[in-house]
Amino acid sequence: MEIIKRKLPVFFIILSLTLSIILMVPAALFAQEEETTEEEIVEPEPEPEELIFDTKLPKIQAKEGETFSFNFDVAYKPGDEPFGIEEGKSEKTFDITVDYPTGWIAAVASGSTEAPAINLKFNSTESLRLVAIPLITQQPGEYDFKVTFNSAVEGDTLEGSIEFTAVAPPTYEINLTTKTGMLSTELTSGKDNHYKLIVTNNSSTSVENISLSSTEPEGWQVSFDKDKIESMEADEKIEIDVTINPPEKTIAGDYMLTFGASSENSNDSFDLRVTVETPTIWGIVGIGIIVVVIIGVAVIFARLGRR
Amino acid sequence: MSEDNNIIIAKDLSKKYNEHLVVDNLNLAIKKGEIFGLLGPNGAGKSTFILMAMGLTEPSSGSINVAGFNSTRQPLEVKRITGYLPEKVGFYEDMSAKGNLTYTAELNNIPYREIPKKVDEVLEIVTLTKNKNQLVKTLSKGMKQRLGIADVLIKDPRLVFFDEPTEGLDLKVANQILQTILDLNKQKNITFLLSSHQLNLMQKVCPRVGILSRGKLIGEGTVENLGRNLFGGGKYRIELELEKVTDGLIEKLKKLDKVVNINKVDNQLQVICDKDIRQDISRLIAAEDILMTRMDMKQDALEEIYLKYFKEE
Amino acid sequence: MRSILTVYRKELTDHFSSNKFLVLLALIYIAGLSSTYVALQNIRESASGLGKYVFLYLFTTGGDVLPSFITFISFFIPIIGIIFGFDAINSEKNSGNLSRLLSQPIYRDSVINGKFLAGITTLSIIIASIVFIISGIGLFSIGVPPTSEEILRIFFFIFICIFYGGFWMGLSILFSVIMEKTAASILTAIAIWIFLMFFLPIIANAIANGIAPLENASVADQIRNFNIGQGILRISPSTLFAESIAILLVPTARLFQPTLLNIVQTPPQNPLSLGQSLIQVWPQLVVIVALAIICFAISYIIFMRQEIRST
């Protein structure tokens, strides 16, 4: 729905323009016929020299980091007395300048070539493109671009321009990772192991209501020092202390835990490979058993063997 | 039952292995304190007799008592006082002499404290003290035989069965063994039953022998008496080979002192007598003016018995 | 009584001094430790999906290269049993020790009882020690103590191993009583073992496929095929043993499962209680124990009635 809402005005503009062109062409023809008939009567207004710009989409929106591309048509009408055109020539050269906001770079291109200047034939329409590239992550908002055609003929004041608007929507990105950046760790079963996570708001705007979650093997206890972040400014980093408690009877070995952070617009998660170490007590008991058995066998040997 | 004098009493003792009679209706009594030789060729039933006496094999019929105990029904009592040295005595080769004897001592219920002393004592008797800790596999055959004696002495036996005590030993070692037997008999008053086919060796130590042939006891008594019984009496046999034999000569010989009998075969004479009368005989023959080509005297009655009974089998 | 103890101690000393004991012990320790290593690798890798009876996986988990401990042990127990029994009586006879031994004031059965007990003790020491060592290693590296039920299962496992070994020992002692030559008795025992271990499965398979062919078979026929094959295999004590220890050490296992020994792959089922597991394999256990007793009893009777001959 949102898209349609946004595009509706554009649509109307296009519709009305097309309608007006369709309606005006016969009218103009009529007018001409009338003029020829009425020429002798009324001194006709001299046809002015002019540049006519036309575009279907003067305002577009693109995802963050994407190049904006505005298509437009330009037509040059020499009028009755084109300024500074030699006899027999039927084109005029214009310099193209583009005004763009900081943080952008923009240029007019024809096909795939950048065009700082252009020759426009009389009464023909040229399809051009304004390419605008955001150089940095843009704050959400509207950015205006203006393409101006200036006659390259000295003394000529002929000039035309068209304006475009690029709309940068707000971006939402939160990142969750470990403080160390390592995606594996070692834990001891049966006790609280502390571990640090980092939440980063890489959005272009502040983000509200970030909740932290975890998926852990059955019986494990995982808790965060805060499992909800009220609000985070753009580029803010928050350290989360997570407490992982594998149950007493966890088999030593590798386990996968998944941590996630999610807000309304964005979420992130990662898998942490956890190697559970044996609690020392069982290690000692285990070694104790082995030692006792080996000593036992050795004693039997010593007492019974005849070596 | 004359238990006072006899340590072994066998009555109508028979043993069949698969219908084959190995011991046939044997009656035998052995006195306390004697060395009795049970003689006979291999397969005569000597070992089977010993096994029955030890209670290791049941008789098919008849009974055998050792020291008043029925060997078949009270084998443990018999074994407690009886030592048995099988023909092929075996020891645990990977154990020391001492280890083997200790094991025997333990099996005889000798209190653990007394075992080392007892072992030393019996090794001393058979002069193996030096070899005490040697593994049995390093001992010579004679040493093993002596170890065997030590092994039976562990239990302080009243009676010892010794199967083929001199088999496979050289004469010197065999004599040592026999001497040990004599000493033990004298010093500890142990009754010995020696089974053997080596009659000449047994003769030296056994005042009394029994002769077993095909399971039957064909003779029993002192060697002297056996000879007498078997050959019509006489302790010595003097064989003469003469130029000619006249009746007059035989009559004269018969009148000599101690002559029991005279047998004549062609021109050979066998004079059976109780005394060495070779001088008298030669004098007599010289007086008769008969040429004598040969004169032998045989005292070895056992050898004769052996030849008579066993060689023909 | 003392005479049994004396024979027992002497035989035990013999076993512990023998090279065959050292070789067997080393073999079993190496097999046990390496299979435990593999099992631990697998357990650590899939630690989270193992459920309640982790400790038992130590014994039942194998790898691609090495089989599990229970596979090893079912292979080695018959060998231990045979090796510690095949020359029990005939070597004594041949060495001339038997008649000397029997002329001592002891009951004849002391000899065979003492020897059997010593063999069983040796077997028990070998098996129990490696099982305990594996448990120690497991405790050390898994970090989870076994539950009391697991401990009970492990003890039952050791007992079954001992009785199974007792069967083979009884059998080889029987041959040592009947046969004069030690070579004959060991070869006979090993021939029987090889037959039961390697040829019976082939025969069972062939018969089962003959009666209920597997090609285009319905599920019912496949089950029939399996039942016939398994029925034939159950003649063999090794099958009974394999079934019993699989059921005992894998609480989730049920008897009717074509692949019993490869447990980790089968879908998890609810574990049975020890009592239920035991009930499942009760017939197997009874037969193993009975076979051990029967084998020993036959050799006992024959030995007691045997004539001691002079040569």
Side-chain angles (χ1 to χ4, degrees):
Chain A
M1 274 307 278
E2 220 174 327
I3 298 167
I4 297 175
K5 257 188 205 165
R6 270 189 202 147
K7 291 199 169 165
L8 263 182
V10 184
F11 231 81
F12 274 110
I13 293 166
I14 296 167
L15 199 66
S16 52
L17 273 170
T18 343
L19 277 175
S20 59
I21 288 167
I22 293 167
L23 290 174
M24 270 162 70
V25 169
L29 289 175
F30 258 118
Q32 250 179 347
E33 269 173 48
E34 274 173 47
E35 271 172 47
T36 42
T37 47
E38 285 169 31
E39 203 172 348
E40 281 112 55
I41 310 155
V42 187
E43 176 72 10
E45 274 294 299
E47 194 79 349
E49 187 184 15
E50 60 177 341
L51 280 163
I52 299 167
F53 290 93
D54 186 18
T55 182
K56 285 179 186 167
L57 304 166
K59 188 171 189 173
I60 61 174
Q61 181 175 350
K63 278 185 206 151
E64 188 209 332
E66 272 182 11
T67 301
F68 288 70
S69 188
F70 302 92
N71 291 311
F72 64 95
D73 293 338
V74 60
Y76 168 61
K77 284 191 178 168
D80 295 328
E81 305 162 8
F83 183 87
I85 297 295
E86 288 166 43
E87 278 299 313
K89 282 221 169 173
S90 60
E91 59 178 30
K92 188 163 189 174
T93 307
F94 293 90
D95 291 328
I96 304 173
T97 53
V98 181
D99 293 328
Y100 49 86
T102 47
W104 292 79
I105 186 163
V108 169
S110 168
S112 59
T113 22
E114 197 183 324
I118 193 167
N119 286 332
L120 292 177
K121 289 203 172 72
F122 294 172
N123 292 322
S124 75
T125 305
E126 197 74 37
S127 284
L128 293 172
R129 198 153 49 94
L130 171 67
V131 180
I133 301 164
L135 293 178
I136 52 166
T137 304
Q138 298 300 337
Q139 290 295 313
E142 299 198 340
Y143 296 88
D144 293 328
F145 296 86
K146 188 179 179 190
V147 179
T148 312
F149 280 54
N150 285 79
S151 171
V153 181
E154 220 158 301
D156 190 359
T157 55
L158 181 63
E159 156 179 315
S161 67
I162 182 166
E163 288 188 2
F164 295 101
T165 307
V167 179
T171 59
Y172 296 97
E173 186 183 325
I174 51 178
N175 285 98
L176 182 68
T177 183
T178 61
K179 193 183 182 187
T180 54
M182 303 264 289
L183 292 181
S184 64
T185 185
E186 290 175 358
L187 303 178
T188 307
S189 65
K191 64 176 215 183
D192 285 350
N193 300 272
H194 290 275
Y195 199 65
K196 299 259 189 269
L197 304 181
I198 299 279
V199 185
T200 315
N201 182 6
N202 287 325
S203 312
S204 52
T205 177
S206 66
V207 176
E208 266 85 52
N209 274 339
I210 300 169
S211 58
L212 293 159
S213 64
S214 63
T215 314
E216 62 276 336
E218 203 188 316
W220 288 44
Q221 284 179 345
V222 176
S223 60
F224 304 94
D225 58 348
K226 42 188 173 241
D227 51 6
K228 223 167 192 107
I229 300 167
E230 297 280 308
S231 171
M232 268 184 97
E233 292 302 312
D235 294 331
E236 190 181 347
K237 280 188 181 188
I238 291 180
E239 196 173 286
I240 305 282
D241 186 72
V242 59
T243 308
I244 307 170
N245 189 342
E248 191 81 55
K249 287 185 150 199
T250 305
I251 312 155
D254 291 345
Y255 295 83
M256 282 305 219
L257 272 74
T258 307
F259 288 103
S262 60
S263 69
E264 198 184 335
N265 301 311
S266 169
N267 61 56
D268 189 23
S269 67
F270 71 95
D271 289 337
L272 181 67
R273 187 186 178 85
V274 172
T275 306
V276 174
E277 303 279 292
T278 315
T280 352
I281 173 76
W282 293 119
I284 292 169
V285 172
I287 290 178
I289 290 175
I290 297 169
V291 169
V292 165
V293 171
I294 288 172
I295 288 177
V297 173
V299 165
I300 294 171
F301 256 111
R303 293 211 51 188
L304 288 179
R306 264 196 298 263
R307 278 170 202 280
Chain B
M1 207 177 284
S2 52
E3 209 183 293
D4 299 334
N5 288 323
N6 292 334
I7 194 158
I8 302 175
I9 300 160
K11 274 186 185 162
D12 307 327
L13 192 67
S14 294
K15 176 68 188 176
K16 275 182 189 170
Y17 283 130
N18 307 324
E19 300 305 309
H20 175 64
L21 211 51
V22 183
V23 172
D24 187 2
N25 208 27
L26 195 81
N27 285 287
L28 182 64
I30 291 164
K31 292 192 193 76
K32 277 180 184 169
E34 73 170 326
I35 301 178
F36 186 86
L38 192 57
L39 306 178
N42 286 327
K46 298 173 305 229
S47 297
T48 309
F49 173 76
I50 294 174
L51 289 173
M52 284 191 285
M54 287 296 295
L56 293 174
T57 293
E58 279 186 36
S60 307
S61 66
S63 73
I64 182 158
N65 280 42
V66 171
F69 298 111
N70 185 308
S71 298
T72 316
R73 270 176 249 130
Q74 299 156 289
L76 287 198
E77 280 78 0
V78 172
K79 287 172 186 173
R80 210 160 277 145
I81 53 165
T82 311
Y84 171 42
L85 214 60
E87 181 182 347
K88 287 176 183 164
V89 63
F91 288 97
Y92 298 106
E93 301 274 308
D94 288 329
M95 283 164 74
S96 65
K98 183 184 156 199
N100 270 287
L101 294 182
T102 306
Y103 186 39
T104 308
E106 285 172 2
L107 289 174
N108 277 288
N109 267 331
I110 293 170
Y112 288 114
R113 278 174 283 109
E114 296 171 19
I115 289 174
K117 208 184 102 210
K118 191 80 209 171
V119 168
D120 288 346
E121 192 185 309
V122 294
L123 282 171
E124 181 70 48
I125 293 172
V126 296
T127 61
L128 280 176
T129 313
K130 276 185 296 184
N131 312 86
K132 185 174 161 182
N133 291 316
Q134 233 169 300
L135 293 190
V136 170
K137 61 183 167 197
T138 64
L139 297 180
S140 71
K141 196 161 192 313
M143 284 173 167
K144 280 184 194 168
Q145 196 68 305
R146 265 145 63 197
L147 186 61
I149 296 175
D151 191 64
V152 296
L153 290 179
I154 282 272
K155 63 169 90 168
D156 280 331
R158 286 165 58 191
L159 167 67
V160 170
F161 293 103
F162 209 152
D163 207 348
E164 301 286 0
T166 52
E167 172 79 5
L169 301 177
D170 61 48
L171 199 60
K172 194 182 154 211
V173 180
N175 279 328
Q176 276 175 8
I177 299 281
L178 293 177
Q179 188 56 49
T180 313
I181 291 173
L182 280 173
D183 293 347
L184 285 168
N185 175 254
K186 226 176 261 166
Q187 289 156 16
K188 302 201 170 227
N189 197 28
I190 299 171
T191 311
F192 278 91
L193 188 145
L194 311 180
S195 110
S196 181
H197 63 274
Q198 292 173 313
L199 305 143
N200 47 345
L201 281 170
M202 290 306 113
Q203 197 182 351
K204 294 177 187 167
V205 289
C206 303
R208 225 160 66 84
V209 295
I211 293 173
L212 212 54
S213 172
R214 300 186 188 188
K216 281 202 173 76
L217 190 68
I218 52 168
E220 183 211 334
T222 60
V223 175
E224 257 174 64
N225 289 340
L226 266 181
R228 228 169 245 157
N229 295 342
L230 282 170
F231 300 104
K235 199 173 169 183
Y236 300 92
R237 278 161 299 135
I238 299 166
E239 286 180 358
L240 308 169
E241 203 176 287
L242 301 169
E243 187 187 19
K244 60 179 190 205
V245 178
T246 61
D247 289 346
L249 177 65
I250 295 173
E251 286 305 309
K252 276 177 187 161
L253 282 171
K254 272 185 179 168
K255 280 172 191 156
L256 280 173
D257 192 27
K258 300 281 184 194
V259 169
V260 180
N261 201 357
I262 292 176
N263 299 315
K264 175 179 176 281
V265 182
D266 295 337
N267 53 350
Q268 284 184 27
L269 283 180
Q270 192 182 46
V271 181
I272 296 164
C273 50
D274 280 339
K275 197 185 161 193
D276 185 354
I277 50 165
R278 275 179 294 180
Q279 280 193 333
D280 298 345
I281 291 173
S282 20
R283 239 179 271 131
L284 189 82
I285 288 171
E288 288 288 318
D289 200 18
I290 296 170
L291 184 66
M292 184 168 66
T293 48
R294 186 170 67 89
M295 180 165 76
D296 290 328
M297 189 186 73
K298 285 191 176 158
Q299 193 187 7
D300 193 353
L302 277 171
E303 197 67 28
E304 286 297 300
I305 296 161
Y306 178 75
L307 283 172
K308 185 166 181 192
Y309 285 94
F310 309 144
K311 273 291 161 79
E312 61 202 47
E313 280 176 16
Chain C
M1 243 354 255
R2 190 180 145 181
S3 55
I4 289 192
L5 278 179
T6 305
V7 175
Y8 171 76
R9 269 193 30 188
K10 186 255 169 193
E11 289 299 322
L12 215 52
T13 310
D14 276 358
H15 290 331
F16 276 87
S17 316
S18 64
N19 290 330
K20 59 188 183 187
F21 172 78
L22 280 185
V23 170
L24 278 176
L25 192 75
L27 267 178
I28 285 166
Y29 275 21
I30 290 168
L33 294 179
S34 45
S35 64
T36 307
Y37 175 76
V38 172
L40 278 174
Q41 295 275 311
N42 286 349
I43 289 174
R44 289 181 74 95
E45 264 167 36
S46 53
S48 50
L50 287 179
K52 203 172 155 194
Y53 297 104
V54 182
F55 213 76
L56 298 176
Y57 284 119
L58 278 173
F59 302 100
T60 56
T61 311
D64 298 331
V65 188
L66 279 175
S68 64
F69 177 69
I70 54 174
T71 315
F72 269 127
I73 207 82
S74 9
F75 184 81
F76 276 121
I77 286 178
I79 294 179
I80 306 177
I82 290 171
I83 284 189
F84 286 124
F86 79 96
D87 61 349
I89 301 300
N90 49 11
S91 75
E92 294 276 342
K93 267 187 210 160
N94 296 341
S95 68
N97 272 303
L98 189 63
S99 42
R100 193 171 60 86
L101 206 55
L102 293 181
S103 70
Q104 310 307 333
I106 56 168
Y107 290 108
R108 193 189 277 198
D109 57 357
S110 304
V111 176
I112 194 165
N113 289 346
K115 275 171 176 281
F116 186 67
L117 283 180
I120 291 293
T121 308
T122 312
L123 172 85
S124 312
I125 288 173
I126 294 177
I127 291 173
S129 65
I130 185 63
V131 168
F132 287 137
I133 286 176
I134 290 177
S135 305
I137 293 171
L139 199 52
F140 174 71
S141 39
I142 296 182
V144 177
T147 60
S148 56
E149 198 186 312
E150 282 177 303
I151 295 174
L152 271 178
R153 281 174 186 271
I154 290 170
F155 273 104
F156 263 101
F157 165 65
I158 295 178
F159 278 127
I160 296 172
C161 286
I162 291 170
F163 273 104
Y164 181 55
F167 158 71
W168 285 102
M169 200 172 290
L171 193 69
S172 62
I173 286 181
L174 176 61
F175 293 139
S176 87
V177 172
I178 323 177
M179 296 176 181
E180 293 292 322
K181 292 205 164 67
T182 52
S185 58
I186 194 171
L187 285 179
T188 312
I190 285 183
I192 289 180
W193 174 65
I194 288 177
F195 174 76
L196 293 181
M197 202 77 176
F198 301 105
F199 291 113
L200 193 62
I202 298 172
I203 294 171
N205 204 18
I207 294 177
N209 288 342
I211 296 174
L214 275 181
E215 261 172 60
N216 307 321
S218 62
V219 175
D221 273 348
Q222 288 176 13
I223 292 173
R224 204 166 136 246
N225 179 293
F226 174 76
N227 279 339
I228 292 168
Q230 199 67 9
I232 295 167
L233 279 179
R234 282 190 186 142
I235 299 169
S236 156
S238 23
T239 310
L240 303 178
F241 174 72
E243 283 184 336
S244 336
I245 57 173
I247 293 290
L248 255 183
L249 290 184
V250 186
T252 53
R254 308 292 197 271
L255 251 194
F256 182 68
Q257 273 183 341
T259 49
L260 275 174
L261 289 178
N262 241 340
I263 300 309
V264 182
Q265 282 77 9
T266 56
Q269 281 173 300
N270 279 336
L272 293 175
S273 71
L274 175 59
Q276 286 303 308
S277 290
L278 279 178
I279 284 172
Q280 279 213 65
V281 287
W282 196 244
Q284 278 87 338
L285 296 185
V286 169
V287 172
I288 289 174
V289 173
L291 279 177
I293 293 172
I294 288 170
C295 273
F296 179 67
I298 293 175
S299 26
Y300 179 93
I301 291 166
I302 293 179
F303 177 67
M304 292 301 280
R305 296 172 143 230
Q306 235 168 17
E307 296 276 5
I308 303 296
R309 314 238 353 209
S310 47
T311 42

